[in-house]
Amino acid sequence: MSSCYKLIDAEKANYSVSILCKVLGISRSGYYDWRDRPPSRRDCENADLTERIREVHHRSRGTYGYPRVHAELKALGIHCN
């Protein structure tokens, strides 16, 4: 469902929110509730992890693939899968 809300948010400049909600079969109030809600703890953790992955990859000058990035994160005490 979150992906529908993200789509509406991205396309609201081109189409009305009402039409987008109708086409996607969701309520306008649901979209506005999602939009006004603060990010969840999980979303914040994922954003932080994404930034750490980018840092490790950048430090390797773009040479590390996922196995080395994962090993580097594990060495830093960051547990992920």
Side-chain angles (χ1 to χ4, degrees):
M1 191 64 89
S2 176
S3 60
C4 289
Y5 297 141
K6 288 178 184 178
L7 175 65
I8 292 170
D9 211 40
E11 292 297 324
K12 68 184 178 188
N14 301 320
Y15 305 97
S16 75
V17 171
S18 297
I19 290 175
L20 290 167
C21 289
K22 184 180 260 187
V23 168
L24 294 170
I26 59 174
S27 68
R28 279 188 11 224
S29 62
Y31 164 72
Y32 288 114
D33 284 345
W34 169 84
R35 186 191 68 178
D36 297 335
R37 190 177 307 136
S40 69
R41 189 185 88 215
R42 178 69 177 253
D43 286 339
C44 292
E45 290 171 354
N46 285 342
D48 183 50
L49 179 60
T50 299
E51 185 57 35
R52 300 297 290 269
I53 291 169
R54 286 188 177 126
E55 288 172 13
V56 169
H57 191 257
H58 178 73
R59 279 197 318 260
S60 76
R61 295 186 294 282
T63 60
Y64 281 8
Y66 79 89
R68 286 185 178 170
V69 170
H70 184 262
E72 180 76 19
L73 292 172
K74 187 175 178 181
L76 293 171
I78 301 168
H79 300 282
C80 59
N81 57 17

